[in-house]
Amino acid sequence: MPRTKEFDPDVALDAAMELFWSRGYEATSTADLVEHLGIARASLYATFGSKHQLYVRALDRYIQSRDPLVVETLSRPGPALPAVRELLEGFVREATGEQRERGCLVVNAAVERLPGDRVVARCVESSWNTVEVALTSALLRAKAQGELRDGAEPRRIARFLLVFLEGLRVVGKGGWDERHLRDAVTEALSTFA
Amino acid sequence: MPRTKEFDPDVALDAAMELFWSRGYEATSTADLVEHLGIARASLYATFGSKHQLYVRALDRYIQSRDPLVVETLSRPGPALPAVRELLEGFVREATGEQRERGCLVVNAAVERLPGDRVVARCVESSWNTVEVALTSALLRAKAQGELRDGAEPRRIARFLLVFLEGLRVVGKGGWDERHLRDAVTEALSTFA
DNA sequence: TAAATACTAGATTGATCAGTCCAAATTGGG
DNA sequence: CCCAATTTGGACTGATCAATCTAGTATTTA
């Protein structure tokens, strides 16, 4: 009977995610991965198949661990617009906090790997779609609860917000201070809120 | 007396810009560059020094060739808000046209090279600052000409628009159709226009 | 204990990397 | 013509790349 696995693949996956997140796909070597994952080279290939498959699984883990938080934030009962505001403020915190320089792995992956990498493209589109749907849902609720001005179109606002959010993740890589980002958010919210 | 240079460095620089723009820094090899620049390996190094220096010069050339167009668009006499709208629509065209998949070299450079590459960081910040200043200038003019609602703050709106613009360049890499992007732009403009 | 599996470290492969060097060919000015 | 400078193609370096393989060590179940 087989010996049980010793290392936790999810722990290794987290370590890989950190590396790819910080350095990108091309700039992360398998030697880096072997060193930081704490498992032998052969185990890495036996478990994950290839560098690219490991990258995709790390990206997927990133998405699976973060998108639900966005959905939860936007799905809380009660007024919807404060939840949207809180989401934006969370993005500002991420874009100015300790891990500002890493940006967002989904954006990094999209910029580095698209359009050539169709697998990554699918992950990126899926994640962005999740956020767009969650935003649309929250804004439809906001409209039904009378939180939006007459004539506001939730689907359109959701698309606008998604673009703005991705912009935040990019601009965060440059050295914008928090006040400037807050200005931008204030203005973005003033569109409809 | 010295023999005159035979190839035009700017032509070679354009070719390098195209390559780095399409593939990124890491994924572009010096062999690729030699092939596409149409000059010998030795000439490449004699003229540009290193792959990194060539990259920075290509990035700089990209910025120098595009930022002035943004500034011009936003500096036309007359009403300022139509110029802002035209700028956004131009970004949408770029994000849906033939070269959609390449994105924006400045954004690509920021995502791939920051925060480690300080030289690239300087280029990126410079370019974004140029756009922010041009936007601020146009919006100040708009305010003075009574195109903005009372209480509108040009500097804040400019920061907001810059974030939104960078978002457009990222989302363009995913397969968003033009209608969705136009929705987002419409909503962005409705903030103040 | 014995078979089966998981894991390790490290050697190895062939390709590719950025960058250097060189000899030969080319082109200009004096 | 002749010297100086430029360009060329290709050889070359040492490093690193992703990926495979080997040999041996641990750990489990039967």
Side-chain angles (χ1 to χ4, degrees):
Chain A
M1 273 289 139
R3 171 183 171 184
T4 56
K5 268 197 182 298
E6 288 201 353
F7 67 85
D8 185 344
D10 283 343
V11 172
L13 215 44
D14 278 332
M17 188 183 79
E18 296 287 328
L19 267 187
F20 284 129
W21 191 2
S22 296
R23 308 185 190 181
Y25 178 75
E26 292 275 0
T28 302
S29 72
T30 54
D32 295 332
L33 291 165
V34 167
E35 184 182 351
H36 283 84
L37 267 60
I39 64 179
R41 193 174 193 78
S43 299
L44 190 156
Y45 278 91
T47 308
F48 301 107
S50 71
K51 179 187 173 182
H52 184 260
Q53 288 173 55
L54 175 55
Y55 179 73
V56 171
R57 288 197 54 182
L59 173 59
D60 196 60
R61 185 166 170 83
Y62 178 92
I63 291 170
Q64 297 304 326
S65 71
R66 278 159 183 79
D67 279 1
L69 300 179
V70 173
V71 174
E72 277 174 35
T73 299
L74 293 175
S75 304
R76 289 183 322 202
L81 286 191
V84 172
R85 176 182 297 273
E86 185 179 316
L87 185 75
L88 292 188
E89 287 171 355
F91 273 59
V92 169
R93 272 192 299 275
E94 283 181 21
T96 55
E98 303 168 1
Q99 50 188 13
R100 168 186 63 83
E101 37 189 37
R102 295 199 292 185
C104 160
L105 180 54
V106 178
V107 169
N108 296 358
V111 170
E112 180 176 4
R113 304 290 306 165
L114 266 50
D117 191 327
R118 301 317 300 165
V119 183
V120 167
R122 222 173 8 89
C123 295
V124 170
E125 286 163 23
S126 162
S127 176
W128 287 351
N129 186 62
T130 297
V131 177
E132 184 184 334
V133 168
L135 282 168
T136 303
S137 169
L139 290 163
L140 283 169
R141 201 155 47 88
K143 174 130 190 179
Q145 293 171 172
E147 300 175 72
L148 294 179
R149 59 170 163 75
D150 283 351
E153 298 189 26
R155 283 172 194 80
R156 178 177 294 176
I157 298 175
R159 278 170 201 142
F160 154 72
L161 280 176
L162 182 57
V163 174
F164 181 76
L165 288 176
E166 302 311 330
L168 277 181
R169 323 211 91 150
V170 171
V171 175
K173 282 232 167 187
W176 278 33
D177 61 43
E178 190 168 341
R179 194 174 56 81
H180 286 197
L181 289 178
R182 291 201 174 283
D183 279 357
V185 167
T186 299
E187 198 58 36
L189 287 170
S190 77
T191 312
F192 55 90
Chain B
M1 273 292 138
R3 171 185 174 185
T4 55
K5 267 199 179 298
E6 288 202 350
F7 66 84
D8 184 343
D10 283 343
V11 172
L13 215 43
D14 279 331
M17 188 182 80
E18 295 287 329
L19 267 187
F20 284 129
W21 191 2
S22 296
R23 308 184 189 181
Y25 178 76
E26 292 273 1
T28 302
S29 71
T30 54
D32 294 332
L33 290 165
V34 167
E35 185 182 350
H36 284 83
L37 267 60
I39 65 179
R41 193 173 192 77
S43 299
L44 189 156
Y45 278 91
T47 307
F48 300 107
S50 70
K51 179 187 173 183
H52 184 261
Q53 288 173 54
L54 175 56
Y55 180 73
V56 171
R57 289 196 54 180
L59 174 59
D60 197 61
R61 186 166 170 81
Y62 178 92
I63 291 170
Q64 297 305 327
S65 70
R66 278 160 183 79
D67 279 1
L69 301 178
V70 173
V71 174
E72 277 174 35
T73 299
L74 293 175
S75 304
R76 289 182 322 202
L81 286 190
V84 172
R85 176 183 297 273
E86 185 180 315
L87 184 75
L88 293 187
E89 286 171 355
F91 273 58
V92 169
R93 272 193 301 274
E94 284 181 22
T96 55
E98 304 167 0
Q99 50 186 13
R100 168 185 63 82
E101 37 189 39
R102 294 199 293 185
C104 161
L105 180 54
V106 178
V107 169
N108 295 359
V111 170
E112 181 176 4
R113 303 291 306 167
L114 266 51
D117 191 327
R118 300 318 299 165
V119 183
V120 168
R122 225 175 4 91
C123 294
V124 170
E125 286 162 23
S126 162
S127 176
W128 287 351
N129 186 62
T130 297
V131 177
E132 184 184 336
V133 168
L135 281 168
T136 303
S137 169
L139 290 162
L140 283 169
R141 202 155 47 88
K143 174 132 192 177
Q145 293 170 171
E147 300 175 73
L148 294 179
R149 60 170 163 74
D150 282 351
E153 299 188 27
R155 283 171 192 82
R156 178 177 294 177
I157 298 175
R159 277 169 202 145
F160 154 72
L161 280 176
L162 182 57
V163 174
F164 181 77
L165 287 176
E166 303 311 329
L168 276 181
R169 324 211 92 150
V170 171
V171 176
K173 282 230 167 188
W176 278 35
D177 61 43
E178 189 167 339
R179 193 175 56 79
H180 285 197
L181 289 178
R182 290 201 175 285
D183 279 357
V185 166
T186 300
E187 198 57 37
L189 287 170
S190 78
T191 312
F192 55 91

